[in-house]
């Protein structure tokens, strides 16, 4: 099985842009789609990006996803940061019948 | 809109078996389009997939927990359940149930989560 590694925390000011990385330890990042979940304090996760770069209905276009095979990583970019974007962000992928989560990144908007 | 709700004891003694149930409403648990999953999150930590089950009772478990986990499903009650044996303090976490796509393993609906503490 592989692991997904995320930074523990990131912080940025309102209105700015932040990018959160998710690096796959083995196997190609392009082999299996990556999803991103937002988890606000005290709440369950909700999906903000699926299939590497697709936004579910209702997720603002300030959220975007991408993969970079040269770094074997996926990224979540949030532009025009708002205080409501604060929370934990988790990347997720899969392999055969196993689901794998990254360790989560705490986003602070200050 | 499908809804999931976890239920079960909030306190379990070390070495005993943790048992939780997830009730599904607003959608069919027998749909071939989805699997039904358990995920946990220790306080202040990340998410850990425990396993999931198909309506046909096919199960898939996290290799690191496989020896202690059993997931079962009761389609007539629209419920699925988790049993985790020989628990220790390291198993203390918020336990979530969720719906997973069968063709693409993304978790599109989650329960609110239930905190389980392992302590004597």
């Amino acid at each position: 099985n592989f692991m997904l590694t995320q930074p523990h925390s990131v912080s940025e000011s309102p209105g700015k842009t932040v990018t959160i990385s998710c690096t796959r330890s083995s196997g190609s990042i392009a082999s299996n789609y990556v999803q991103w979940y937002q988890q606000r304090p005290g709440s369950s996760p909700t999906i903000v990006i699926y299939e590497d770069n697709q936004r579910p209905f209702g997720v603002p276009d300030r959220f975007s996803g991408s993969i970079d095979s040269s770094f074997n990583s996926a990224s979540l970019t949030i532009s025009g940061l708002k205080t409501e974007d604060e929370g934990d962000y988790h990347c997720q992928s899969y392999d055969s019948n196993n689901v794998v989560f990254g360790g989560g990144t705490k986003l602070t908007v200050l | 809109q499908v809804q999931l709700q976890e239920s079960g004891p909030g306190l379990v003694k070390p070495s005993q078996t943790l048992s939780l149930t997830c009730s599904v409403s607003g959608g069919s648990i027998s749909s071939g389009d989805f699997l039904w999953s358990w995920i946990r999150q220790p306080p202040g930590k990340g998410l850990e997939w425990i396993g999931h089950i198909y309506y046909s009772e096919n199960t898939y478990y996290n290799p690191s927990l496989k020896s202690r986990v059993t997931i079962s499903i009761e389609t007539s009650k629209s419920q699925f359940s988790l049993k985790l044996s020989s628990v220790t303090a390291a198993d203390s976490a918020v336990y979530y149930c969720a719906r997973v796509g069968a063709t693409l393993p993304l978790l599109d609906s989650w329960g609110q989560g239930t905190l389980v503490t392992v302590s004597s």
Side-chain angles (χ1 to χ4, degrees):
Chain A
N1 238 16
F2 62 92
M3 296 192 302
L4 296 172
T5 301
Q6 300 180 235
H8 285 293
S9 63
V10 295
S11 61
E12 190 49 272
S13 303
K16 299 291 189 179
T17 296
V18 70
T19 297
I20 300 171
S21 63
C22 172
T23 302
R24 180 166 170 158
S25 63
S26 61
S28 172
I29 192 71
S31 297
N32 308 98
Y33 286 122
V34 175
Q35 283 61 245
W36 290 91
Y37 301 84
Q38 176 191 63
Q39 186 178 25
R40 292 194 173 108
S43 295
S44 305
T46 59
I47 191 160
V48 292
I49 293 289
Y50 68 98
E51 290 183 358
D52 298 339
N53 55 19
Q54 301 299 304
R55 277 188 315 277
F57 180 78
V59 173
D61 60 6
R62 301 186 297 105
F63 290 79
S64 63
S66 63
I67 63 167
D68 187 335
S69 295
S70 59
F71 290 99
N72 213 35
S73 67
S75 294
L76 172 69
T77 299
I78 310 171
S79 60
L81 276 168
K82 302 183 177 184
T83 54
E84 68 201 47
D85 298 330
E86 275 203 345
D88 295 328
Y89 289 83
H90 309 271
C91 61
Q92 175 256 314
S93 191
Y94 53 95
D95 185 8
S96 300
N97 292 307
N98 296 315
V99 170
V100 180
F101 287 101
T105 299
K106 181 177 181 61
L107 169 63
T108 302
V109 181
L110 37 64
Chain B
Q1 177 79 351
V2 68
Q3 292 187 324
L4 299 95
Q5 178 69 57
E6 305 89 351
S7 60
L11 182 64
V12 181
K13 288 181 167 52
S15 80
Q16 293 192 341
T17 296
L18 178 160
S19 296
L20 296 173
T21 295
C22 182
S23 299
V24 179
S25 59
S28 174
I29 201 170
S30 300
S31 168
D33 293 332
F34 302 104
L35 298 102
W36 305 93
S37 189
W38 288 98
I39 304 96
R40 68 181 183 179
Q41 184 174 34
K45 296 190 177 182
L47 300 168
E48 181 179 32
W49 173 70
I50 299 171
H52 49 232
I53 190 166
Y54 202 43
Y55 76 96
S56 60
E57 301 188 46
N58 287 356
T59 51
Y60 309 90
Y61 298 137
N62 185 324
S64 68
L65 297 169
K66 186 174 183 176
S67 63
R68 298 194 292 131
V69 173
T70 301
I71 297 176
S72 59
I73 191 165
E74 283 193 76
T75 53
S76 62
K77 294 184 177 181
S78 202
Q79 294 178 334
F80 63 106
S81 299
L82 168 70
K83 290 188 186 300
L84 180 65
S85 63
S86 306
V87 297
T88 69
D91 295 310
S92 296
V94 174
Y95 284 76
Y96 294 98
C97 58
R99 188 177 75 172
V100 185
T103 51
L104 171 63
L106 68 87
L107 294 82
D108 69 348
S109 298
W110 296 65
Q112 65 183 27
T114 187
L115 176 63
V116 178
T117 302
V118 179
S119 175
S120 54

